[in-house]
Amino acid sequence: MTHYETNNLNLQDILAVLIGSNATPELCGKLASYGIRYLSDMTVWELQKEGLSKIEGQRIVAAFNMSKKLVSCKRQEYNIIRSPEDAADLMMEEMRLLQQEHFVCLYLNSKNEVINKKTVFIGSLNASVVHPREVFKNAFRYGAASIMCLHNHRIMFKLDIDYCPWYYGNT
């Protein structure tokens, strides 16, 4: 079954995926006819009485337990990035002692909340080369509204200060 990646599965299809190779349209249809609320309260033993093996029943019970945990979890607190300084404050401790250059992207939602952080490339001692494809591929994957890219320097190079005086306040 190649439905794993679609979000539009009906209950009968989801049950077929969970049950596996022993799933039949009749069995999945019968279980789906009970409705999702009734199924979510069924025990492994009750599912076995309906014709499932113990492991198939455990898979269905585990799937419902996972969905109950998802519904009951609290909303995640997001870090909000309003400026480069906010990004630096968020990442400085994590990146300041790295022995190689890292290129990190913070993926933000429309409220500038960090929804994901990804090290896109780890370079050499003093260089980090990254292709834009990697940056944008992850932005699409996470549904980001904007991207903040960061990289570290193992040692502060005089070159940076000479060529970026606006950043260091030397204008």
Side-chain angles (χ1 to χ4, degrees):
M1 187 171 249
T2 60
H3 295 302
Y4 293 117
E5 295 182 17
T6 65
N7 291 326
N8 299 325
L9 296 177
N10 62 34
L11 182 56
Q12 187 170 345
D13 291 337
I14 294 169
L15 288 167
V17 170
L18 291 171
I19 293 169
S21 60
N22 292 332
T24 63
E26 295 79 20
L27 176 60
C28 295
K30 178 181 172 186
L31 291 172
S33 72
Y34 292 141
I36 196 163
R37 290 205 185 274
Y38 184 79
L39 275 173
S40 71
D41 290 327
M42 289 181 80
T43 65
V44 173
W45 182 76
E46 290 171 324
L47 289 166
Q48 283 181 282
K49 284 184 15 183
E50 296 295 330
L52 298 179
S53 70
K54 184 176 181 179
I55 192 75
E56 293 164 347
Q58 288 172 333
R59 278 191 223 128
I60 291 174
V61 169
F64 278 114
N65 285 338
M66 188 175 358
S67 66
K68 289 174 186 176
K69 285 190 179 297
L70 176 63
V71 169
S72 68
C73 72
K74 295 180 181 174
R75 186 175 187 277
Q76 180 179 354
E77 292 293 323
Y78 291 103
N79 293 302
I80 297 175
I81 306 295
R82 293 187 181 93
S83 67
E85 289 78 19
D86 289 343
D89 290 343
L90 176 65
M91 298 301 297
M92 188 64 72
E93 280 303 307
E94 183 177 328
M95 295 181 71
R96 71 184 179 95
L97 297 177
L98 295 172
Q99 296 299 308
Q100 292 174 283
E101 290 218 7
H102 285 59
F103 188 91
V104 176
C105 292
L106 300 177
Y107 297 97
L108 312 175
N109 64 17
S110 59
K111 297 177 184 175
N112 287 335
E113 299 169 324
V114 178
I115 54 175
N116 209 310
K117 171 185 69 172
K118 179 95 171 154
T119 300
V120 178
F121 187 80
I122 299 174
S124 63
L125 181 65
N126 62 358
S128 181
V129 180
V130 65
H131 195 280
R133 171 183 59 238
E134 299 305 314
V135 173
F136 292 108
K137 174 180 75 174
N138 290 315
F140 288 117
R141 176 181 290 147
Y142 304 132
S146 58
I147 307 165
M148 173 87 50
C149 298
L150 305 96
H151 76 102
N152 66 310
H153 287 283
R154 187 173 174 285
I155 301 170
M156 182 60 69
F157 293 100
K158 182 161 175 37
L159 181 67
D160 280 347
I161 296 170
D162 291 342
Y163 288 97
C164 301
W166 53 268
Y167 185 78
Y168 296 98
N170 297 336
T171 54

